[in-house]
Amino acid sequence: MIDNTIKDVAREIVSATTKVVALTGAGISAESGIPTFRDKGGLWEKYDPMEFAHISSFKAHPEKSWKMLLELIEPLNKAKPNPGHLGLAELEKMGILTTIITQNIDGLHQEAGNTDVIEFHGNNRYVVCLSCGKRYKFNEISIETLPPKCECSGILKPDAVFFGEPIPSHALNRAYEVSGNCKAMLVVGTSAVVYPAASMPEFAKTKGAIIIEINPEKTPLTLKISDYFVKGSAGEIIPLIVKEVKNLIN
Ligand code: OAD
């Protein structure tokens, strides 16, 4: 049954060549050792996001949020792209997939080789001063005393989007543009509950795109929006799709 779904999905993306995009979430990096947010044992089980990841709580108690962030840095720094990331990079090399919209801040799609990655929720490579707006590379700042400070004494915040903050406008605009123009969207490893990221498949669908979801669990999109639901992990399913795509185009 899953074999037939994979064959169908491969046919869909080959026929949508150059008009295929992907929306990814924490699940695609789970097999790289980075915990997701809402699965069992996920980050939001341990930390209340409103207390640690809301911009108001960051401004009130930046050292508290920084402690949580430093706990994440180790798995983030150690992580390497897994077969899910590498499969999406291969689809780009084949000229099929053009763009990835990712909610992840880990940079693993770029490391895998994808060249057009929209970082919808920012990234973990930079920090930004809340007072003067100066940006620093994360590895250039001292984190011996928390919170780290700018040369203007302002508080530094990771360049990732916190709850209560807007999505960077260039990322939001491009995400709508590519979602509105695609013919097929792969939705991989996201619970699809955080907006506006979760509205991209909905928007793509209203513009006529085929939605292909890859996830071990169903999501709010599964029955409502997705044309195909391929149950399984990204690291297992994406290489199977890539293999089938190669059979079709060679
Ligand atoms: P979630 O933790 O909400 O969802 C992870 C999804 O990945 C779930 O649907 C899992 O079933 C699925 N999953 C788990 N392991 C997987 C695997 N090996 N392969 C494929 N899928 C797998 O993470 P996101 O949807 O990314 O935002 O969360 C969205 C946003 O909520 C994040 O960007 C972050 C968070 O709060 C902010 O902090 C602003």
Side-chain angles (χ1 to χ4, degrees), residues 25-27 30-31 36-39 44 103 121 161 163 189-192 194 215-217 232-234:
E31 288 155 280
T36 64
F37 298 94
R38 295 174 183 81
D39 289 305
W44 299 155
Q103 296 162 87
H121 289 162
V161 174
F163 285 102
T190 177
S191 59
V194 174
N215 199 311
E217 306 293 335
S233 82

mmCIF file with all atom_site columns, all heavy atoms in Angstrom, residues 25-27 30-31 36-39 44 103 121 161 163 189-192 194 215-217 232-234, ligand 1:
data_model
loop_
_atom_site.group_PDB
_atom_site.id
_atom_site.type_symbol
_atom_site.label_atom_id
_atom_site.label_alt_id
_atom_site.label_comp_id
_atom_site.label_asym_id
_atom_site.label_entity_id
_atom_site.label_seq_id
_atom_site.pdbx_PDB_ins_code
_atom_site.Cartn_x
_atom_site.Cartn_y
_atom_site.Cartn_z
_atom_site.occupancy
_atom_site.B_iso_or_equiv
_atom_site.pdbx_formal_charge
_atom_site.auth_seq_id
_atom_site.auth_comp_id
_atom_site.auth_asym_id
_atom_site.auth_atom_id
_atom_site.pdbx_PDB_model_num
ATOM   1   N N   . GLY A 1 25  ? 9.224  21.096 8.971  1.00 0.00 ? 25  GLY A N   1
ATOM   2   C CA  . GLY A 1 25  ? 9.161  21.438 10.387 1.00 0.00 ? 25  GLY A CA  1
ATOM   3   C C   . GLY A 1 25  ? 10.125 20.561 11.167 1.00 0.00 ? 25  GLY A C   1
ATOM   4   O O   . GLY A 1 25  ? 10.911 19.786 10.578 1.00 0.00 ? 25  GLY A O   1
ATOM   5   N N   . ALA A 1 26  ? 10.042 20.669 12.471 1.00 0.00 ? 26  ALA A N   1
ATOM   6   C CA  . ALA A 1 26  ? 11.015 20.024 13.361 1.00 0.00 ? 26  ALA A CA  1
ATOM   7   C C   . ALA A 1 26  ? 11.175 18.521 13.096 1.00 0.00 ? 26  ALA A C   1
ATOM   8   O O   . ALA A 1 26  ? 12.262 17.975 13.303 1.00 0.00 ? 26  ALA A O   1
ATOM   9   C CB  . ALA A 1 26  ? 10.596 20.248 14.811 1.00 0.00 ? 26  ALA A CB  1
ATOM   10  N N   . GLY A 1 27  ? 10.102 17.862 12.619 1.00 0.00 ? 27  GLY A N   1
ATOM   11  C CA  . GLY A 1 27  ? 10.160 16.415 12.401 1.00 0.00 ? 27  GLY A CA  1
ATOM   12  C C   . GLY A 1 27  ? 11.246 16.000 11.423 1.00 0.00 ? 27  GLY A C   1
ATOM   13  O O   . GLY A 1 27  ? 11.810 14.911 11.548 1.00 0.00 ? 27  GLY A O   1
ATOM   14  N N   . ALA A 1 30  ? 14.372 15.521 13.354 1.00 0.00 ? 30  ALA A N   1
ATOM   15  C CA  . ALA A 1 30  ? 14.330 14.623 14.524 1.00 0.00 ? 30  ALA A CA  1
ATOM   16  C C   . ALA A 1 30  ? 15.385 13.519 14.391 1.00 0.00 ? 30  ALA A C   1
ATOM   17  O O   . ALA A 1 30  ? 16.074 13.186 15.364 1.00 0.00 ? 30  ALA A O   1
ATOM   18  C CB  . ALA A 1 30  ? 12.938 14.019 14.672 1.00 0.00 ? 30  ALA A CB  1
ATOM   19  N N   . GLU A 1 31  ? 15.529 12.986 13.161 1.00 0.00 ? 31  GLU A N   1
ATOM   20  C CA  . GLU A 1 31  ? 16.503 11.902 12.963 1.00 0.00 ? 31  GLU A CA  1
ATOM   21  C C   . GLU A 1 31  ? 17.946 12.420 12.910 1.00 0.00 ? 31  GLU A C   1
ATOM   22  O O   . GLU A 1 31  ? 18.876 11.636 12.766 1.00 0.00 ? 31  GLU A O   1
ATOM   23  C CB  . GLU A 1 31  ? 16.145 11.118 11.695 1.00 0.00 ? 31  GLU A CB  1
ATOM   24  C CG  . GLU A 1 31  ? 14.897 10.281 11.896 1.00 0.00 ? 31  GLU A CG  1
ATOM   25  C CD  . GLU A 1 31  ? 14.162 9.969  10.605 1.00 0.00 ? 31  GLU A CD  1
ATOM   26  O OE1 . GLU A 1 31  ? 13.426 10.846 10.114 1.00 0.00 ? 31  GLU A OE1 1
ATOM   27  O OE2 . GLU A 1 31  ? 14.326 8.853  10.102 1.00 0.00 ? 31  GLU A OE2 1
ATOM   28  N N   . THR A 1 36  ? 11.883 17.518 18.707 1.00 0.00 ? 36  THR A N   1
ATOM   29  C CA  . THR A 1 36  ? 10.794 18.340 18.176 1.00 0.00 ? 36  THR A CA  1
ATOM   30  C C   . THR A 1 36  ? 10.168 19.107 19.342 1.00 0.00 ? 36  THR A C   1
ATOM   31  O O   . THR A 1 36  ? 10.665 19.048 20.470 1.00 0.00 ? 36  THR A O   1
ATOM   32  C CB  . THR A 1 36  ? 9.734  17.471 17.460 1.00 0.00 ? 36  THR A CB  1
ATOM   33  O OG1 . THR A 1 36  ? 9.146  16.617 18.430 1.00 0.00 ? 36  THR A OG1 1
ATOM   34  C CG2 . THR A 1 36  ? 10.343 16.651 16.327 1.00 0.00 ? 36  THR A CG2 1
ATOM   35  N N   . PHE A 1 37  ? 9.092  19.841 19.060 1.00 0.00 ? 37  PHE A N   1
ATOM   36  C CA  . PHE A 1 37  ? 8.467  20.664 20.096 1.00 0.00 ? 37  PHE A CA  1
ATOM   37  C C   . PHE A 1 37  ? 7.296  19.956 20.775 1.00 0.00 ? 37  PHE A C   1
ATOM   38  O O   . PHE A 1 37  ? 7.163  19.992 21.989 1.00 0.00 ? 37  PHE A O   1
ATOM   39  C CB  . PHE A 1 37  ? 7.958  21.981 19.480 1.00 0.00 ? 37  PHE A CB  1
ATOM   40  C CG  . PHE A 1 37  ? 9.069  22.808 18.908 1.00 0.00 ? 37  PHE A CG  1
ATOM   41  C CD1 . PHE A 1 37  ? 9.409  22.725 17.566 1.00 0.00 ? 37  PHE A CD1 1
ATOM   42  C CD2 . PHE A 1 37  ? 9.805  23.642 19.728 1.00 0.00 ? 37  PHE A CD2 1
ATOM   43  C CE1 . PHE A 1 37  ? 10.459 23.470 17.043 1.00 0.00 ? 37  PHE A CE1 1
ATOM   44  C CE2 . PHE A 1 37  ? 10.851 24.400 19.219 1.00 0.00 ? 37  PHE A CE2 1
ATOM   45  C CZ  . PHE A 1 37  ? 11.175 24.309 17.873 1.00 0.00 ? 37  PHE A CZ  1
ATOM   46  N N   . ARG A 1 38  ? 6.437  19.319 19.961 1.00 0.00 ? 38  ARG A N   1
ATOM   47  C CA  . ARG A 1 38  ? 5.156  18.846 20.503 1.00 0.00 ? 38  ARG A CA  1
ATOM   48  C C   . ARG A 1 38  ? 5.026  17.340 20.587 1.00 0.00 ? 38  ARG A C   1
ATOM   49  O O   . ARG A 1 38  ? 3.983  16.843 21.010 1.00 0.00 ? 38  ARG A O   1
ATOM   50  C CB  . ARG A 1 38  ? 3.995  19.428 19.671 1.00 0.00 ? 38  ARG A CB  1
ATOM   51  C CG  . ARG A 1 38  ? 3.919  20.926 19.804 1.00 0.00 ? 38  ARG A CG  1
ATOM   52  C CD  . ARG A 1 38  ? 2.885  21.578 18.909 1.00 0.00 ? 38  ARG A CD  1
ATOM   53  N NE  . ARG A 1 38  ? 2.959  23.024 19.091 1.00 0.00 ? 38  ARG A NE  1
ATOM   54  C CZ  . ARG A 1 38  ? 3.871  23.803 18.489 1.00 0.00 ? 38  ARG A CZ  1
ATOM   55  N NH1 . ARG A 1 38  ? 4.729  23.281 17.643 1.00 0.00 ? 38  ARG A NH1 1
ATOM   56  N NH2 . ARG A 1 38  ? 3.906  25.102 18.736 1.00 0.00 ? 38  ARG A NH2 1
ATOM   57  N N   . ASP A 1 39  ? 6.060  16.582 20.152 1.00 0.00 ? 39  ASP A N   1
ATOM   58  C CA  . ASP A 1 39  ? 5.973  15.127 20.307 1.00 0.00 ? 39  ASP A CA  1
ATOM   59  C C   . ASP A 1 39  ? 6.217  14.783 21.771 1.00 0.00 ? 39  ASP A C   1
ATOM   60  O O   . ASP A 1 39  ? 6.640  15.631 22.558 1.00 0.00 ? 39  ASP A O   1
ATOM   61  C CB  . ASP A 1 39  ? 7.035  14.434 19.429 1.00 0.00 ? 39  ASP A CB  1
ATOM   62  C CG  . ASP A 1 39  ? 6.696  14.548 17.948 1.00 0.00 ? 39  ASP A CG  1
ATOM   63  O OD1 . ASP A 1 39  ? 5.591  14.142 17.574 1.00 0.00 ? 39  ASP A OD1 1
ATOM   64  O OD2 . ASP A 1 39  ? 7.539  15.064 17.194 1.00 0.00 ? 39  ASP A OD2 1
ATOM   65  N N   . TRP A 1 44  ? 8.427  21.501 24.274 1.00 0.00 ? 44  TRP A N   1
ATOM   66  C CA  . TRP A 1 44  ? 7.344  22.213 24.981 1.00 0.00 ? 44  TRP A CA  1
ATOM   67  C C   . TRP A 1 44  ? 6.706  21.370 26.093 1.00 0.00 ? 44  TRP A C   1
ATOM   68  O O   . TRP A 1 44  ? 5.829  21.843 26.797 1.00 0.00 ? 44  TRP A O   1
ATOM   69  C CB  . TRP A 1 44  ? 6.277  22.736 24.019 1.00 0.00 ? 44  TRP A CB  1
ATOM   70  C CG  . TRP A 1 44  ? 6.739  23.735 22.988 1.00 0.00 ? 44  TRP A CG  1
ATOM   71  C CD1 . TRP A 1 44  ? 6.145  23.956 21.779 1.00 0.00 ? 44  TRP A CD1 1
ATOM   72  C CD2 . TRP A 1 44  ? 7.822  24.696 23.074 1.00 0.00 ? 44  TRP A CD2 1
ATOM   73  N NE1 . TRP A 1 44  ? 6.813  24.948 21.096 1.00 0.00 ? 44  TRP A NE1 1
ATOM   74  C CE2 . TRP A 1 44  ? 7.845  25.418 21.861 1.00 0.00 ? 44  TRP A CE2 1
ATOM   75  C CE3 . TRP A 1 44  ? 8.798  24.992 24.026 1.00 0.00 ? 44  TRP A CE3 1
ATOM   76  C CZ2 . TRP A 1 44  ? 8.784  26.423 21.592 1.00 0.00 ? 44  TRP A CZ2 1
ATOM   77  C CZ3 . TRP A 1 44  ? 9.745  25.984 23.760 1.00 0.00 ? 44  TRP A CZ3 1
ATOM   78  C CH2 . TRP A 1 44  ? 9.719  26.682 22.570 1.00 0.00 ? 44  TRP A CH2 1
ATOM   79  N N   . GLN A 1 103 ? 10.484 25.895 8.919  1.00 0.00 ? 103 GLN A N   1
ATOM   80  C CA  . GLN A 1 103 ? 10.245 26.523 10.225 1.00 0.00 ? 103 GLN A CA  1
ATOM   81  C C   . GLN A 1 103 ? 11.440 26.279 11.138 1.00 0.00 ? 103 GLN A C   1
ATOM   82  O O   . GLN A 1 103 ? 11.487 26.772 12.251 1.00 0.00 ? 103 GLN A O   1
ATOM   83  C CB  . GLN A 1 103 ? 8.984  25.924 10.861 1.00 0.00 ? 103 GLN A CB  1
ATOM   84  C CG  . GLN A 1 103 ? 7.719  26.208 10.078 1.00 0.00 ? 103 GLN A CG  1
ATOM   85  C CD  . GLN A 1 103 ? 6.594  25.261 10.476 1.00 0.00 ? 103 GLN A CD  1
ATOM   86  O OE1 . GLN A 1 103 ? 5.858  25.525 11.418 1.00 0.00 ? 103 GLN A OE1 1
ATOM   87  N NE2 . GLN A 1 103 ? 6.460  24.150 9.779  1.00 0.00 ? 103 GLN A NE2 1
ATOM   88  N N   . HIS A 1 121 ? 11.187 31.028 10.445 1.00 0.00 ? 121 HIS A N   1
ATOM   89  C CA  . HIS A 1 121 ? 11.296 31.373 11.874 1.00 0.00 ? 121 HIS A CA  1
ATOM   90  C C   . HIS A 1 121 ? 12.707 31.801 12.257 1.00 0.00 ? 121 HIS A C   1
ATOM   91  O O   . HIS A 1 121 ? 13.111 31.656 13.405 1.00 0.00 ? 121 HIS A O   1
ATOM   92  C CB  . HIS A 1 121 ? 10.832 30.195 12.751 1.00 0.00 ? 121 HIS A CB  1
ATOM   93  C CG  . HIS A 1 121 ? 9.337  29.969 12.708 1.00 0.00 ? 121 HIS A CG  1
ATOM   94  N ND1 . HIS A 1 121 ? 8.726  28.800 13.100 1.00 0.00 ? 121 HIS A ND1 1
ATOM   95  C CD2 . HIS A 1 121 ? 8.329  30.789 12.314 1.00 0.00 ? 121 HIS A CD2 1
ATOM   96  C CE1 . HIS A 1 121 ? 7.408  28.908 12.948 1.00 0.00 ? 121 HIS A CE1 1
ATOM   97  N NE2 . HIS A 1 121 ? 7.144  30.098 12.460 1.00 0.00 ? 121 HIS A NE2 1
ATOM   98  N N   . VAL A 1 161 ? 12.574 33.603 15.488 1.00 0.00 ? 161 VAL A N   1
ATOM   99  C CA  . VAL A 1 161 ? 11.300 34.263 15.771 1.00 0.00 ? 161 VAL A CA  1
ATOM   100 C C   . VAL A 1 161 ? 10.717 33.701 17.066 1.00 0.00 ? 161 VAL A C   1
ATOM   101 O O   . VAL A 1 161 ? 10.556 32.484 17.206 1.00 0.00 ? 161 VAL A O   1
ATOM   102 C CB  . VAL A 1 161 ? 10.321 34.052 14.590 1.00 0.00 ? 161 VAL A CB  1
ATOM   103 C CG1 . VAL A 1 161 ? 8.946  34.606 14.908 1.00 0.00 ? 161 VAL A CG1 1
ATOM   104 C CG2 . VAL A 1 161 ? 10.885 34.699 13.319 1.00 0.00 ? 161 VAL A CG2 1
ATOM   105 N N   . PHE A 1 163 ? 7.514  33.646 19.936 1.00 0.00 ? 163 PHE A N   1
ATOM   106 C CA  . PHE A 1 163 ? 6.058  33.856 19.921 1.00 0.00 ? 163 PHE A CA  1
ATOM   107 C C   . PHE A 1 163 ? 5.793  35.326 20.198 1.00 0.00 ? 163 PHE A C   1
ATOM   108 O O   . PHE A 1 163 ? 6.488  35.942 21.012 1.00 0.00 ? 163 PHE A O   1
ATOM   109 C CB  . PHE A 1 163 ? 5.363  32.978 20.956 1.00 0.00 ? 163 PHE A CB  1
ATOM   110 C CG  . PHE A 1 163 ? 5.294  31.536 20.540 1.00 0.00 ? 163 PHE A CG  1
ATOM   111 C CD1 . PHE A 1 163 ? 6.159  30.602 21.072 1.00 0.00 ? 163 PHE A CD1 1
ATOM   112 C CD2 . PHE A 1 163 ? 4.387  31.122 19.580 1.00 0.00 ? 163 PHE A CD2 1
ATOM   113 C CE1 . PHE A 1 163 ? 6.126  29.266 20.664 1.00 0.00 ? 163 PHE A CE1 1
ATOM   114 C CE2 . PHE A 1 163 ? 4.328  29.798 19.162 1.00 0.00 ? 163 PHE A CE2 1
ATOM   115 C CZ  . PHE A 1 163 ? 5.198  28.873 19.707 1.00 0.00 ? 163 PHE A CZ  1
ATOM   116 N N   . GLY A 1 189 ? 7.163  16.712 8.278  1.00 0.00 ? 189 GLY A N   1
ATOM   117 C CA  . GLY A 1 189 ? 7.568  16.812 9.678  1.00 0.00 ? 189 GLY A CA  1
ATOM   118 C C   . GLY A 1 189 ? 7.096  18.058 10.394 1.00 0.00 ? 189 GLY A C   1
ATOM   119 O O   . GLY A 1 189 ? 7.821  18.586 11.232 1.00 0.00 ? 189 GLY A O   1
ATOM   120 N N   . THR A 1 190 ? 5.882  18.481 10.084 1.00 0.00 ? 190 THR A N   1
ATOM   121 C CA  . THR A 1 190 ? 5.334  19.608 10.854 1.00 0.00 ? 190 THR A CA  1
ATOM   122 C C   . THR A 1 190 ? 3.949  19.247 11.375 1.00 0.00 ? 190 THR A C   1
ATOM   123 O O   . THR A 1 190 ? 3.160  18.615 10.667 1.00 0.00 ? 190 THR A O   1
ATOM   124 C CB  . THR A 1 190 ? 5.273  20.924 10.041 1.00 0.00 ? 190 THR A CB  1
ATOM   125 O OG1 . THR A 1 190 ? 4.670  21.933 10.865 1.00 0.00 ? 190 THR A OG1 1
ATOM   126 C CG2 . THR A 1 190 ? 4.506  20.801 8.743  1.00 0.00 ? 190 THR A CG2 1
ATOM   127 N N   . SER A 1 191 ? 3.673  19.665 12.622 1.00 0.00 ? 191 SER A N   1
ATOM   128 C CA  . SER A 1 191 ? 2.352  19.412 13.205 1.00 0.00 ? 191 SER A CA  1
ATOM   129 C C   . SER A 1 191 ? 1.318  20.355 12.597 1.00 0.00 ? 191 SER A C   1
ATOM   130 O O   . SER A 1 191 ? 0.123  20.196 12.807 1.00 0.00 ? 191 SER A O   1
ATOM   131 C CB  . SER A 1 191 ? 2.403  19.585 14.727 1.00 0.00 ? 191 SER A CB  1
ATOM   132 O OG  . SER A 1 191 ? 2.829  20.896 15.044 1.00 0.00 ? 191 SER A OG  1
ATOM   133 N N   . ALA A 1 192 ? 1.771  21.361 11.857 1.00 0.00 ? 192 ALA A N   1
ATOM   134 C CA  . ALA A 1 192 ? 0.890  22.304 11.147 1.00 0.00 ? 192 ALA A CA  1
ATOM   135 C C   . ALA A 1 192 ? -0.126 22.972 12.071 1.00 0.00 ? 192 ALA A C   1
ATOM   136 O O   . ALA A 1 192 ? -1.297 23.095 11.734 1.00 0.00 ? 192 ALA A O   1
ATOM   137 C CB  . ALA A 1 192 ? 0.195  21.603 9.973  1.00 0.00 ? 192 ALA A CB  1
ATOM   138 N N   . VAL A 1 194 ? 1.088  25.865 13.904 1.00 0.00 ? 194 VAL A N   1
ATOM   139 C CA  . VAL A 1 194 ? 1.581  27.222 14.149 1.00 0.00 ? 194 VAL A CA  1
ATOM   140 C C   . VAL A 1 194 ? 1.411  28.057 12.878 1.00 0.00 ? 194 VAL A C   1
ATOM   141 O O   . VAL A 1 194 ? 1.902  27.691 11.803 1.00 0.00 ? 194 VAL A O   1
ATOM   142 C CB  . VAL A 1 194 ? 3.066  27.204 14.608 1.00 0.00 ? 194 VAL A CB  1
ATOM   143 C CG1 . VAL A 1 194 ? 3.619  28.623 14.726 1.00 0.00 ? 194 VAL A CG1 1
ATOM   144 C CG2 . VAL A 1 194 ? 3.188  26.504 15.955 1.00 0.00 ? 194 VAL A CG2 1
ATOM   145 N N   . ASN A 1 215 ? 4.677  12.251 7.309  1.00 0.00 ? 215 ASN A N   1
ATOM   146 C CA  . ASN A 1 215 ? 4.673  12.416 8.766  1.00 0.00 ? 215 ASN A CA  1
ATOM   147 C C   . ASN A 1 215 ? 4.295  11.069 9.381  1.00 0.00 ? 215 ASN A C   1
ATOM   148 O O   . ASN A 1 215 ? 3.434  10.382 8.833  1.00 0.00 ? 215 ASN A O   1
ATOM   149 C CB  . ASN A 1 215 ? 3.621  13.486 9.149  1.00 0.00 ? 215 ASN A CB  1
ATOM   150 C CG  . ASN A 1 215 ? 3.828  14.059 10.529 1.00 0.00 ? 215 ASN A CG  1
ATOM   151 O OD1 . ASN A 1 215 ? 3.996  13.335 11.501 1.00 0.00 ? 215 ASN A OD1 1
ATOM   152 N ND2 . ASN A 1 215 ? 3.818  15.384 10.625 1.00 0.00 ? 215 ASN A ND2 1
ATOM   153 N N   . PRO A 1 216 ? 4.895  10.691 10.497 1.00 0.00 ? 216 PRO A N   1
ATOM   154 C CA  . PRO A 1 216 ? 4.457  9.449  11.147 1.00 0.00 ? 216 PRO A CA  1
ATOM   155 C C   . PRO A 1 216 ? 3.058  9.569  11.748 1.00 0.00 ? 216 PRO A C   1
ATOM   156 O O   . PRO A 1 216 ? 2.405  8.564  12.028 1.00 0.00 ? 216 PRO A O   1
ATOM   157 C CB  . PRO A 1 216 ? 5.497  9.216  12.255 1.00 0.00 ? 216 PRO A CB  1
ATOM   158 C CG  . PRO A 1 216 ? 6.500  10.289 12.158 1.00 0.00 ? 216 PRO A CG  1
ATOM   159 C CD  . PRO A 1 216 ? 6.024  11.327 11.195 1.00 0.00 ? 216 PRO A CD  1
ATOM   160 N N   . GLU A 1 217 ? 2.606  10.820 11.982 1.00 0.00 ? 217 GLU A N   1
ATOM   161 C CA  . GLU A 1 217 ? 1.294  11.051 12.616 1.00 0.00 ? 217 GLU A CA  1
ATOM   162 C C   . GLU A 1 217 ? 0.439  11.949 11.741 1.00 0.00 ? 217 GLU A C   1
ATOM   163 O O   . GLU A 1 217 ? 0.967  12.824 11.047 1.00 0.00 ? 217 GLU A O   1
ATOM   164 C CB  . GLU A 1 217 ? 1.469  11.779 13.965 1.00 0.00 ? 217 GLU A CB  1
ATOM   165 C CG  . GLU A 1 217 ? 2.416  11.124 14.950 1.00 0.00 ? 217 GLU A CG  1
ATOM   166 C CD  . GLU A 1 217 ? 1.904  9.795  15.454 1.00 0.00 ? 217 GLU A CD  1
ATOM   167 O OE1 . GLU A 1 217 ? 0.678  9.585  15.447 1.00 0.00 ? 217 GLU A OE1 1
ATOM   168 O OE2 . GLU A 1 217 ? 2.747  8.958  15.831 1.00 0.00 ? 217 GLU A OE2 1
ATOM   169 N N   . GLY A 1 232 ? 5.126  7.909  7.872  1.00 0.00 ? 232 GLY A N   1
ATOM   170 C CA  . GLY A 1 232 ? 6.466  7.397  8.153  1.00 0.00 ? 232 GLY A CA  1
ATOM   171 C C   . GLY A 1 232 ? 7.417  8.536  8.434  1.00 0.00 ? 232 GLY A C   1
ATOM   172 O O   . GLY A 1 232 ? 7.038  9.716  8.366  1.00 0.00 ? 232 GLY A O   1
ATOM   173 N N   . SER A 1 233 ? 8.648  8.171  8.766  1.00 0.00 ? 233 SER A N   1
ATOM   174 C CA  . SER A 1 233 ? 9.624  9.209  9.093  1.00 0.00 ? 233 SER A CA  1
ATOM   175 C C   . SER A 1 233 ? 10.218 9.781  7.808  1.00 0.00 ? 233 SER A C   1
ATOM   176 O O   . SER A 1 233 ? 10.287 9.110  6.773  1.00 0.00 ? 233 SER A O   1
ATOM   177 C CB  . SER A 1 233 ? 10.727 8.637  9.987  1.00 0.00 ? 233 SER A CB  1
ATOM   178 O OG  . SER A 1 233 ? 11.684 7.971  9.197  1.00 0.00 ? 233 SER A OG  1
ATOM   179 N N   . ALA A 1 234 ? 10.647 11.036 7.896  1.00 0.00 ? 234 ALA A N   1
ATOM   180 C CA  . ALA A 1 234 ? 11.216 11.716 6.728  1.00 0.00 ? 234 ALA A CA  1
ATOM   181 C C   . ALA A 1 234 ? 12.449 10.966 6.218  1.00 0.00 ? 234 ALA A C   1
ATOM   182 O O   . ALA A 1 234 ? 12.632 10.799 5.011  1.00 0.00 ? 234 ALA A O   1
ATOM   183 C CB  . ALA A 1 234 ? 11.593 13.152 7.106  1.00 0.00 ? 234 ALA A CB  1
HETATM 184 P P1  . OAD B 2 .   ? 6.210  20.134 16.149 1.00 0.00 ? 1   OAD B P1  1
HETATM 185 O O1  . OAD B 2 .   ? 7.013  19.615 17.278 1.00 0.00 ? 1   OAD B O1  1
HETATM 186 O O2  . OAD B 2 .   ? 4.971  20.873 16.470 1.00 0.00 ? 1   OAD B O2  1
HETATM 187 O O3  . OAD B 2 .   ? 5.781  18.924 15.196 1.00 0.00 ? 1   OAD B O3  1
HETATM 188 C C1  . OAD B 2 .   ? 6.710  17.971 14.772 1.00 0.00 ? 1   OAD B C1  1
HETATM 189 C C2  . OAD B 2 .   ? 6.030  17.078 13.745 1.00 0.00 ? 1   OAD B C2  1
HETATM 190 O O4  . OAD B 2 .   ? 7.011  16.207 13.215 1.00 0.00 ? 1   OAD B O4  1
HETATM 191 C C3  . OAD B 2 .   ? 4.912  16.210 14.308 1.00 0.00 ? 1   OAD B C3  1
HETATM 192 O O5  . OAD B 2 .   ? 3.790  16.271 13.439 1.00 0.00 ? 1   OAD B O5  1
HETATM 193 C C4  . OAD B 2 .   ? 5.519  14.794 14.309 1.00 0.00 ? 1   OAD B C4  1
HETATM 194 O O6  . OAD B 2 .   ? 4.559  13.775 14.097 1.00 0.00 ? 1   OAD B O6  1
HETATM 195 C C5  . OAD B 2 .   ? 6.486  14.893 13.153 1.00 0.00 ? 1   OAD B C5  1
HETATM 196 N N1  . OAD B 2 .   ? 7.648  13.995 13.221 1.00 0.00 ? 1   OAD B N1  1
HETATM 197 C C6  . OAD B 2 .   ? 8.281  13.505 14.317 1.00 0.00 ? 1   OAD B C6  1
HETATM 198 N N2  . OAD B 2 .   ? 9.341  12.748 13.949 1.00 0.00 ? 1   OAD B N2  1
HETATM 199 C C7  . OAD B 2 .   ? 9.377  12.780 12.596 1.00 0.00 ? 1   OAD B C7  1
HETATM 200 C C8  . OAD B 2 .   ? 10.235 12.201 11.616 1.00 0.00 ? 1   OAD B C8  1
HETATM 201 N N3  . OAD B 2 .   ? 11.277 11.438 11.955 1.00 0.00 ? 1   OAD B N3  1
HETATM 202 N N4  . OAD B 2 .   ? 9.970  12.442 10.308 1.00 0.00 ? 1   OAD B N4  1
HETATM 203 C C9  . OAD B 2 .   ? 8.920  13.216 9.947  1.00 0.00 ? 1   OAD B C9  1
HETATM 204 N N5  . OAD B 2 .   ? 8.078  13.768 10.818 1.00 0.00 ? 1   OAD B N5  1
HETATM 205 C C10 . OAD B 2 .   ? 8.301  13.568 12.127 1.00 0.00 ? 1   OAD B C10 1
HETATM 206 O O7  . OAD B 2 .   ? 7.201  20.991 15.219 1.00 0.00 ? 1   OAD B O7  1
HETATM 207 P P2  . OAD B 2 .   ? 6.829  22.102 14.129 1.00 0.00 ? 1   OAD B P2  1
HETATM 208 O O8  . OAD B 2 .   ? 5.607  21.740 13.374 1.00 0.00 ? 1   OAD B O8  1
HETATM 209 O O9  . OAD B 2 .   ? 8.066  22.376 13.373 1.00 0.00 ? 1   OAD B O9  1
HETATM 210 O O10 . OAD B 2 .   ? 8.134  27.899 16.402 1.00 0.00 ? 1   OAD B O10 1
HETATM 211 O O11 . OAD B 2 .   ? 6.524  23.343 15.058 1.00 0.00 ? 1   OAD B O11 1
HETATM 212 C C11 . OAD B 2 .   ? 6.237  24.569 14.469 1.00 0.00 ? 1   OAD B C11 1
HETATM 213 C C12 . OAD B 2 .   ? 6.763  25.686 15.298 1.00 0.00 ? 1   OAD B C12 1
HETATM 214 O O12 . OAD B 2 .   ? 6.334  25.528 16.660 1.00 0.00 ? 1   OAD B O12 1
HETATM 215 C C13 . OAD B 2 .   ? 8.279  25.736 15.437 1.00 0.00 ? 1   OAD B C13 1
HETATM 216 O O13 . OAD B 2 .   ? 8.921  26.345 14.335 1.00 0.00 ? 1   OAD B O13 1
HETATM 217 C C14 . OAD B 2 .   ? 8.468  26.527 16.701 1.00 0.00 ? 1   OAD B C14 1
HETATM 218 C C15 . OAD B 2 .   ? 7.434  25.819 17.544 1.00 0.00 ? 1   OAD B C15 1
HETATM 219 O O14 . OAD B 2 .   ? 6.946  26.548 18.605 1.00 0.00 ? 1   OAD B O14 1
HETATM 220 C C16 . OAD B 2 .   ? 8.512  28.889 17.218 1.00 0.00 ? 1   OAD B C16 1
HETATM 221 O O15 . OAD B 2 .   ? 9.141  28.687 18.237 1.00 0.00 ? 1   OAD B O15 1
HETATM 222 C C17 . OAD B 2 .   ? 8.092  30.229 16.732 1.00 0.00 ? 1   OAD B C17 1
#
